[in-house]
Amino acid sequence: MNPARTANTARAHSTRKRTRIQEANEEKILDAGLEVFSTYGFRGATVDQIAALAGMTKPNLLYYFRRKDDIYLAVLQRTLEMWLQPLAALSAKGDPAAEITAYIDRKLELSRENPKASRLFAIEIMQGAPVLGEVLSGRLKELVDEKAAVIRAWVAAGKLAPIDPYHLIFMIWATTQHYADFEVQIRAVLGDRADRGDHFDTARRTLERVFLGGIDGTTPPA
Amino acid sequence: MNPARTANTARAHSTRKRTRIQEANEEKILDAGLEVFSTYGFRGATVDQIAALAGMTKPNLLYYFRRKDDIYLAVLQRTLEMWLQPLAALSAKGDPAAEITAYIDRKLELSRENPKASRLFAIEIMQGAPVLGEVLSGRLKELVDEKAAVIRAWVAAGKLAPIDPYHLIFMIWATTQHYADFEVQIRAVLGDRADRGDHFDTARRTLERVFLGGIDGTTPPA
DNA sequence: AGATTTCCTGACCATTTGGTCAAGGGAAAA
DNA sequence: TTTTCCCTTGACCAAATGGTCAGGAAATCT
């Protein structure tokens, strides 16, 4: 039902040093795993499918990762740091508007470069976060609490409009990750526009504009 | 692999009129189907699981919906109209800011009242929209094109800041649906705050504030 | 080269899963 | 009340799925 919580990543002979073949194959498996898990979720993914995509037989894959759970866990772990990094980089010292703009840009860039990772987390969370649950209420919550305090200080100093810092962060997550998670819908709705030029660039400009100045036309931004 | 495209909803004797039992059981099945599909996606869901949740045996469920595909299709169809309605209600005649605020409120309300439907669409789209694909590039695209034109006219009339209408709509979708799709993460990050009072109300106020005025503190809103 | 360890595979297995079917039990029309 | 549907179920099936295992093929080490 729910993946294991033991961090017993790979089988391959824990005490020995890692071979080149081992390194290469584990990477192929993790790549394939990311592809499949990010599309079908843990339960919808099959080991055969991952093995086929990784270009190896199922028993061979299971030589490196003994259980489906282990692959899933390893894929999540590999992408987790990358996912937390942008918010961690938000600095209290910088200019509020510039810091938040930079945060939006980094998150959006991540959505463009690694949409599969975004979808992986999205599916994991929608399924109730059976594996990441503790990370969410632990590390992630602490990180958000910390940065929310930074934003709140900016608001108190009159450098930002009086908005709830948590929901501002949620808005940034939502809008930036949307371009990865709902890529198919965006392409469908934009139609030709999605191909003509870079819609990620239009997205970036629109996000920055709305977050910084809102949509109100009566007081145009400087 | 991918669900059928035939709209052959239920088995039950197409020509005959619908019984009470039939009506009641189909509803139980669709409710259970929504619950399960919205959590695990099409492939991750099992018919046994849906049957158990609907309080009946698998063969009994399959008497009403002959194939797993049929349940999935029916669940999607039942929730589709509800999903498109808020955007359709956006009127060119109203005040731009008021119309957009109302749209945000409606979408957010839908996320609160029917988070499962939101997650159902999210998972379907993340899996490549095998069923809804044509709806996205058909009806949805047409609807968005129409409303984008309305927004563009507002911009041209100087009633809104010069933003891309498509990406504004995406932002509204993203931010409002986020509260349904990532409910688990939101609750984890908010911790106690999620329970104390209604965080949906804080969300609404924050969304309205940011969309209308941005986060800039140097030019406070009226 | 020879010994040792790592890597790979076909065959196999238990369980789960989507789906069928014949036959009995009920509701409701006649 | 009888007849006619509609509803429900246990038993069953073929395919898919997660996982095992013995043994052979490659690397790697000495």
Side-chain angles (χ1 to χ4, degrees), chain B residues 20-172:
Chain B
R20 294 95 169 280
I21 299 181
Q22 196 180 139
E23 202 109 23
N25 279 344
E26 283 179 1
E27 201 190 306
K28 274 196 282 183
I29 293 169
L30 292 181
D31 285 347
L34 176 60
E35 170 78 35
V36 177
F37 285 130
S38 71
T39 307
Y40 299 105
F42 179 75
R43 284 180 40 161
T46 75
V47 176
D48 296 84
Q49 203 183 354
I50 298 172
L53 200 63
M56 59 182 79
T57 61
K58 183 169 60 166
N60 196 13
L61 181 151
L62 289 169
Y63 169 78
Y64 292 100
F65 296 87
R66 275 154 94 162
R67 344 206 101 257
K68 191 185 176 185
D69 291 356
D70 295 335
I71 316 172
Y72 188 61
L73 219 87
V75 171
L76 275 176
Q77 277 172 350
R78 194 174 60 152
T79 36
L80 183 61
E81 292 313 313
M82 177 184 71
W83 216 237
L84 296 178
Q85 190 268 329
L87 182 56
L90 189 98
S91 164
K93 293 170 194 160
D95 172 64
E99 283 292 327
I100 287 174
T101 303
Y103 179 46
I104 292 169
D105 290 356
R106 272 193 296 267
K107 282 290 284 177
L108 194 60
E109 200 52 30
L110 220 53
S111 269
R112 196 221 306 251
E113 283 170 6
N114 215 330
K116 289 172 196 165
S118 183
R119 286 192 287 265
L120 179 76
F121 289 121
I123 288 191
E124 157 72 8
I125 288 166
M126 284 201 284
Q127 303 195 347
V131 173
L132 284 186
E134 288 174 27
V135 175
L136 300 186
S137 54
R139 271 187 70 186
L140 180 65
K141 180 182 178 349
E142 284 160 29
L143 181 60
V144 174
D145 282 341
E146 179 197 327
K147 300 306 178 180
V150 170
I151 294 172
R152 188 175 288 123
W154 284 338
V155 170
K159 294 175 179 172
L160 285 183
I163 30 96
D164 182 281
Y166 290 93
H167 292 276
L168 173 61
I169 291 173
F170 294 156
M171 282 188 77
I172 296 174

Side-chain angles (χ1 to χ4, degrees), chain B residues 193-215:
Chain B
R193 288 178 200 78
D195 306 314
R196 283 206 305 269
D198 190 1
H199 71 275
F200 262 95
D201 208 55
T202 314
R204 184 179 51 75
R205 281 197 307 272
T206 307
L207 293 193
E208 289 176 3
R209 175 140 235 156
V210 172
F211 274 105
L212 289 187
I215 59 172

Side-chain angles (χ1 to χ4, degrees), chain A residues 157-169:
Chain A
K159 293 175 180 172
L160 286 183
I163 30 95
D164 183 281
Y166 290 93
H167 292 276
L168 173 61
I169 291 172

Side-chain angles (χ1 to χ4, degrees), chain A residues 5 23 36 55 62 64 68 89-90 95 112 158 160 169 175 185 209:
Chain A
R5 58 282 304 159
E23 201 111 20
V36 176
L62 288 169
Y64 291 100
K68 192 186 176 185
L90 188 99
D95 171 65
R112 197 220 306 249
L160 286 183
I169 291 172
T175 49
Q185 177 174 252
R209 176 141 234 156

Side-chain angles (χ1 to χ4, degrees), chain A residues 1-182:
Chain A
M1 184 115 206
N2 61 346
R5 58 282 304 159
T6 54
N8 175 334
T9 313
R11 162 218 229 135
H13 326 291
S14 38
T15 50
R16 284 283 198 287
K17 70 174 181 183
R18 296 162 58 86
T19 320
R20 292 94 169 281
I21 298 181
Q22 196 179 138
E23 201 111 20
N25 279 345
E26 283 179 1
E27 201 190 306
K28 274 197 281 182
I29 293 169
L30 292 180
D31 286 347
L34 176 60
E35 170 79 36
V36 176
F37 285 130
S38 70
T39 306
Y40 298 106
F42 178 74
R43 284 181 38 162
T46 76
V47 177
D48 296 83
Q49 204 183 354
I50 298 172
L53 200 63
M56 59 183 78
T57 62
K58 183 168 61 168
N60 195 14
L61 181 154
L62 288 169
Y63 169 78
Y64 291 100
F65 295 88
R66 277 156 92 163
R67 344 204 100 256
K68 192 186 176 185
D69 291 356
D70 296 335
I71 316 172
Y72 188 62
L73 217 88
V75 171
L76 275 176
Q77 278 173 348
R78 195 175 58 153
T79 37
L80 183 62
E81 293 315 312
M82 178 184 70
W83 215 238
L84 296 178
Q85 190 268 328
L87 181 57
L90 188 99
S91 164
K93 293 171 193 159
D95 171 65
E99 284 291 327
I100 287 174
T101 302
Y103 179 46
I104 292 169
D105 290 356
R106 273 192 296 267
K107 282 290 284 178
L108 194 60
E109 200 53 29
L110 221 52
S111 269
R112 197 220 306 249
E113 282 170 6
N114 215 330
K116 289 171 197 167
S118 184
R119 286 193 286 265
L120 179 75
F121 289 120
I123 288 190
E124 157 73 7
I125 288 166
M126 285 200 284
Q127 303 194 347
V131 172
L132 284 185
E134 288 174 27
V135 175
L136 300 186
S137 54
R139 272 187 69 185
L140 180 64
K141 180 181 178 347
E142 285 160 30
L143 181 60
V144 174
D145 281 341
E146 179 196 329
K147 300 306 178 180
V150 170
I151 294 171
R152 187 174 290 124
W154 285 338
V155 170
K159 293 175 180 172
L160 286 183
I163 30 95
D164 183 281
Y166 290 93
H167 292 276
L168 173 61
I169 291 172
F170 294 156
M171 283 189 77
I172 296 174
W173 288 351
T175 49
T176 53
Q177 292 172 14
H178 188 79
Y179 287 93
D181 303 344
F182 293 81

